[in-house]
Amino acid sequence: MTKGNINVSVENIFPLIKKFLYSDHEIFLRELISNATDATLKLKHLTSIGDSKSEYGNPQIEVKIDKDAKKLHIIDQGLGMTAEEVEKYINQVAFSGAEEFLDKYKDAAKDSGIIGHFGLGFYSAFMVAEKVEIITKSHKDEPAAHWTCDGSPEFTLEESDKTERGTEIILHIAEDSTEFLEEGRIGELLSKYNKFMPIPIKFGMKTETLPKPEDAKEEDPAPTQEVDNIINNPNPAWTKQPTDLEEDDYKNFYRELYPMQFEEPLFNIHLNVDYPFNLTGILYFPKMTNDLNIQKDRIQLYQNQVFVTDNVEGIVPEFLTMLRGVIDSPDIPLNVSRSYLQADGAVKKISSYITRKVADKLKSLFNANREDFEKKWDDIKIVIEYGMLSEEKFFDKADAFALYPTVDGTYYTYKELYNKIKAKQTNKDDKLVILYASDTDTQHSYIEAAKAKGYEVLLLDSPIVSHLIQKLETTKENISFARVDGDHIDNLIKKEDTSISKLSEEEKTKLDELLKEVIPAEKFSVQLEAMDSDASPFIITQPEFMRRMKEMQQTGGGGGMFGMGNMPEMYNLVVNTNSELVGDILNTKTKKKQERLINQSLDLARLSQGLLKGEELTNFIKRSYDMIK
C-alpha cells in the first residue's frame, strides 16, 4: 500500500475547489460521467486499431445511489487504470496547473467553471463528497488499484481485488450535499447533462411489458420483466447524416428535446461542417410571436454530446437565439466563462458560419416552395427582420428571401416590389416612395385613398419595423418609406403641383384663424391643403419622423437622445380647402354653429384614427344624436 501527498503545494486546494471553482456544484456528475465516457470511447478506439487485447463488447455506464451508506457510485466498463496511471493522472496531472489557475482565476472563477480546462474535472467530486474512492482495473493485464482521498492532500493507494475491467468512483456524500443522494435529483441531472451521451447510461431498473403468450386468456395480465433503465439516447438525430433522416425523424427529435412543446416546428436546418472547425447540430424555426421578449435560451449547446449550456449568446448570432435546437462542437471548451467564449476565435467563426448556413437554407426553402414560404412568413419574419438589422452579411443575403407583403396579401421580394411600383410611386424629386400600413383596420380610409390612386400599400406590422425601414432607406438607393396615415396621399407622393384652391388667400387666412380658435394647438398643427373636392374635409396625420422616433425608442435605440419619450403626441390636421363642407364652415353666419361644425368634423377625423376616447367620445355621440334630431 502506498501513502503520499498529492503533488500540490497549496494545502487548502480542496476548500478552494469547493468554494471557487463552480458556484453550481451539480456539474460534478457531468464531469465524472464525461470522464467515464472518454475512458469507454478510448477503449473502443484502441480495440478497433488492435492496441488492446480486451474485448470492447457493449459497455455501459452505471450510476447507483446507496442512500443508507450515503454513497454515490459511477461505474464504467472503459479503459481502466493501472496503479502507475492513477499515480500519474490523479495525483500529479490534476494539479500541475492548479496554483497558477487559482491565482489567475480566484476572482472570476465563481461563474467560470474552468475545471475541465485544467484537468480538474475529477476533482469536482470534492465539491459534494467528503471522501472519494477510485477502484479501477486496467484493460492491460495488471492488478486493480484502489485509491482513497478524504479531501486533504493525503491519499492512499493499494491493490484491489476488482476483476472486471473499468473504473468505479465512490463518492461519500458530504453533509451539506445530501440532495445528491435523492433519486429524483440525480435523475434530473442525468436528464439535463447526459440525455444524449454516446454511451448508454443505466440508472436503476424499470418494468417492461411483454407480449401475451398465444394461449393466454383475455383477462390474464400481460407478463412483465425488469430491465436496465437506460436514461439516454446515445445516437441523437444531430449525430447522423442528413441523408439518413426523414422529416418525421426531425419532428420526433424536436419532441425529445422539448417534451412540453405542443406546436410542430415550421422547418429545420441541419448543420454539418468539419472545416475550419467541427460543428454539427439541428436548428428549428418555431412559430414566432411579435413579442421580442419571448423565451430565448432554447438552443442547447453540447460538446461531444455532453450538455454545456442553454445560454448560447455569443456563440449563436443574437437574432437566432429565438430559434430552438442543438449545436454540438468539440471546438467549444466545456468549462468556460461567457467572456472567454465571446473572445474566442473559433467561436466567432462558428457564429458567422451559422448565420451563413441559416441564410442559405432560407433561400433554398423560398426557391423550392415559395407558396409554403409565404404562408409561414408571419411566423418567421421577426427573426429575419432582426437578422437584417443586426448582421450585415445576413442583410445582404436576405434580398433573396425577405418578403414585403401588401395589405391585399400579395408577397414581393424587394426587387419585385421595386419593379412593380417604380413607374407610379416615384415623386417629382425622382425618389421612390414605398407606402406601408401597420394596421389595416385603423388605417383603412388612408389605405383606400392610396389604392384609389393605383398605389401598392405594404403591410409592415412587426415591432421593429421602424428600425428596419430606417436601415433600408440608408442602404437602398433613393427610396423612402411613408406610412399611409403620415399625410394626405398627394403629399406622401408629391407629383407636379397642379392643385388650385377654391378659396382666395383672404378666405384661407380667415379659415385658418377660425380653425385655430377652436382646435387645441397643443394637440394639432393645422395645415390647409388644396386637394380633390371629394377627398375628406379633415384628415389627421402623424409626422413620419416623430412617430418613427417614438416607435424606435419603445423597441430600444433611436430617439432616446432626443427625449422623445416625454414628448406629447402631436398630430397634423390637414384641412381640404376644396371640400364643400369646409366652404360651408367658412360661410356659416353664427359663431356657435361654426364651432359645432368644426368640432364635429375634427371628432369624425379623430374617430377614423381611433383617437376619440373617454369623455370626448361620449360628448361626440350625444352631439351627433342632437344633430340628427
Side-chain angles (χ1 to χ4, degrees), residues 610-624:
L611 295 172
L612 203 55
K613 294 182 178 81
E615 188 183 352
E616 290 173 326
L617 179 57
T618 309
N619 292 341
F620 166 74
I621 292 166
K622 189 171 182 299
R623 191 190 325 124
S624 301

Side-chain angles (χ1 to χ4, degrees), residues 12-80:
N12 60 352
I13 188 92
F14 290 103
L16 281 169
I17 282 178
K18 198 151 192 157
K19 193 171 170 191
F20 286 122
L21 282 187
Y22 218 98
S23 51
D24 211 350
H25 288 180
E26 66 180 39
I27 62 96
F28 80 91
L29 192 62
R30 177 188 81 181
E31 296 293 324
L32 296 178
I33 290 180
S34 296
N35 288 350
T37 304
D38 284 348
T40 312
L41 292 175
K42 279 176 184 156
L43 177 71
K44 185 180 188 178
H45 177 67
L46 291 180
T47 53
S48 72
I49 60 170
D51 267 14
S52 175
K53 296 190 174 77
S54 197
E55 284 285 317
Y56 181 66
N58 295 304
Q60 60 182 27
I61 295 163
E62 183 177 6
V63 178
K64 273 197 316 199
I65 297 170
D66 181 348
K67 200 167 180 179
D68 295 336
K70 294 189 177 173
K71 292 194 285 192
L72 181 68
H73 302 250
I74 291 118
I75 306 156
D76 70 55
Q77 296 161 356
L79 212 53

Side-chain angles (χ1 to χ4, degrees), residues 262-444:
F262 303 112
E263 277 195 331
E264 295 277 324
L266 296 165
F267 46 79
N268 61 72
I269 297 169
H270 198 127
L271 305 166
N272 197 347
V273 63
D274 49 22
Y275 181 81
F277 46 80
N278 280 298
L279 180 127
T280 52
I282 300 169
L283 295 180
Y284 293 92
F285 268 77
K287 274 196 164 190
M288 293 290 168
T289 64
N290 265 353
D291 180 7
L292 279 174
N293 301 314
I294 48 170
Q295 172 72 44
K296 292 188 182 182
D297 302 345
R298 289 287 183 85
I299 295 176
Q300 299 175 8
L301 180 67
Y302 288 77
Q303 189 223 54
N304 290 329
Q305 293 173 242
V306 183
F307 176 78
V308 179
T309 178
D310 57 7
N311 178 355
V312 293
E313 278 179 52
I315 301 149
V316 172
E318 197 185 347
F319 78 101
L320 293 177
T321 55
M322 292 185 262
L323 301 190
R324 296 188 186 140
V326 165
I327 290 170
D328 189 332
S329 174
D331 294 328
I332 294 173
L334 188 57
N335 295 302
V336 284
S337 67
R338 182 79 20 236
S339 55
Y340 177 92
L341 264 185
Q342 283 162 350
D344 188 65
V347 170
K348 283 200 173 99
K349 285 192 189 118
I350 287 171
S351 179
S352 62
Y353 164 77
I354 293 171
T355 302
R356 192 177 79 240
K357 187 76 180 173
V358 168
D360 292 346
K361 175 72 175 187
L362 288 166
K363 183 179 176 182
S364 72
L365 285 166
F366 175 75
N367 291 339
N369 189 343
R370 177 164 179 166
E371 193 183 338
D372 184 56
F373 194 85
E374 287 179 0
K375 277 185 201 150
K376 289 173 177 167
W377 177 254
D378 269 351
D379 291 314
I380 61 172
K381 66 183 177 195
I382 195 87
V383 177
I384 292 171
E385 289 170 355
Y386 194 12
M388 288 167 74
L389 276 174
S390 56
E391 298 281 331
E392 213 51 55
K393 284 181 178 152
F394 188 80
F395 180 86
D396 296 339
K397 284 178 169 278
D399 260 356
F401 53 79
L403 292 176
Y404 300 87
T406 69
V407 288
D408 299 320
T410 309
Y411 290 82
Y412 295 112
T413 62
Y414 181 79
K415 193 175 178 185
E416 291 164 353
L417 176 71
Y418 184 87
N419 292 334
K420 177 87 169 65
I421 66 175
K422 192 170 180 355
K424 273 194 172 162
Q425 289 179 222
T426 302
N427 68 12
K428 64 184 175 63
D429 301 322
D430 214 29
K431 191 171 227 183
L432 182 69
V433 181
I434 301 169
L435 299 174
Y436 72 100
S438 58
D439 185 323
T440 49
D441 288 337
T442 58
Q443 293 154 7
H444 183 266

Side-chain angles (χ1 to χ4, degrees), residues 53-217:
K53 296 190 174 77
S54 197
E55 284 285 317
Y56 181 66
N58 295 304
Q60 60 182 27
I61 295 163
E62 183 177 6
V63 178
K64 273 197 316 199
I65 297 170
D66 181 348
K67 200 167 180 179
D68 295 336
K70 294 189 177 173
K71 292 194 285 192
L72 181 68
H73 302 250
I74 291 118
I75 306 156
D76 70 55
Q77 296 161 356
L79 212 53
M81 288 181 282
T82 61
E84 193 184 330
E85 285 167 337
V86 171
E87 177 72 46
K88 182 177 169 188
Y89 294 122
I90 301 297
N91 295 340
Q92 290 167 22
V93 173
F95 285 119
S96 57
E99 270 184 286
E100 169 209 349
F101 164 76
L102 284 168
D103 284 346
K104 198 168 169 188
Y105 289 101
K106 226 180 334 210
D107 297 332
K110 268 197 169 56
D111 65 348
S112 59
I114 315 188
I115 300 175
H117 206 55
F118 280 77
L120 293 167
F122 163 71
Y123 279 92
S124 64
F126 285 96
M127 295 192 301
V128 299
E130 57 192 17
K131 181 167 96 170
V132 179
E133 298 178 67
I134 302 173
I135 303 169
T136 182
K137 171 99 171 79
S138 171
H139 68 115
K140 299 169 187 166
D141 189 18
E142 288 199 35
H146 183 176
W147 178 93
T148 310
C149 179
D150 65 359
S152 69
E154 292 169 8
F155 69 88
T156 61
L157 181 60
E158 55 193 331
E159 259 193 42
S160 157
D161 55 7
K162 179 175 167 69
T163 55
E164 289 177 358
R165 179 200 69 214
T167 299
E168 176 173 7
I169 292 177
I170 305 166
L171 279 66
H172 297 257
I173 299 294
E175 280 305 319
D176 63 358
S177 299
T178 52
E179 62 180 287
F180 300 113
L181 292 168
E182 299 299 330
E183 202 168 302
R185 182 75 172 113
I186 295 297
E188 176 198 331
L189 294 182
L190 291 171
S191 176
K192 178 175 177 179
Y193 293 109
N194 309 106
K195 197 169 166 180
F196 300 112
M197 295 286 271
I199 306 296
I201 298 167
K202 175 187 171 185
F203 183 48
M205 306 292 285
K206 66 178 178 184
T207 306
E208 199 173 69
T209 306
L210 298 169
K212 282 187 182 182
E214 281 179 22
D215 57 351
K217 294 180 183 146

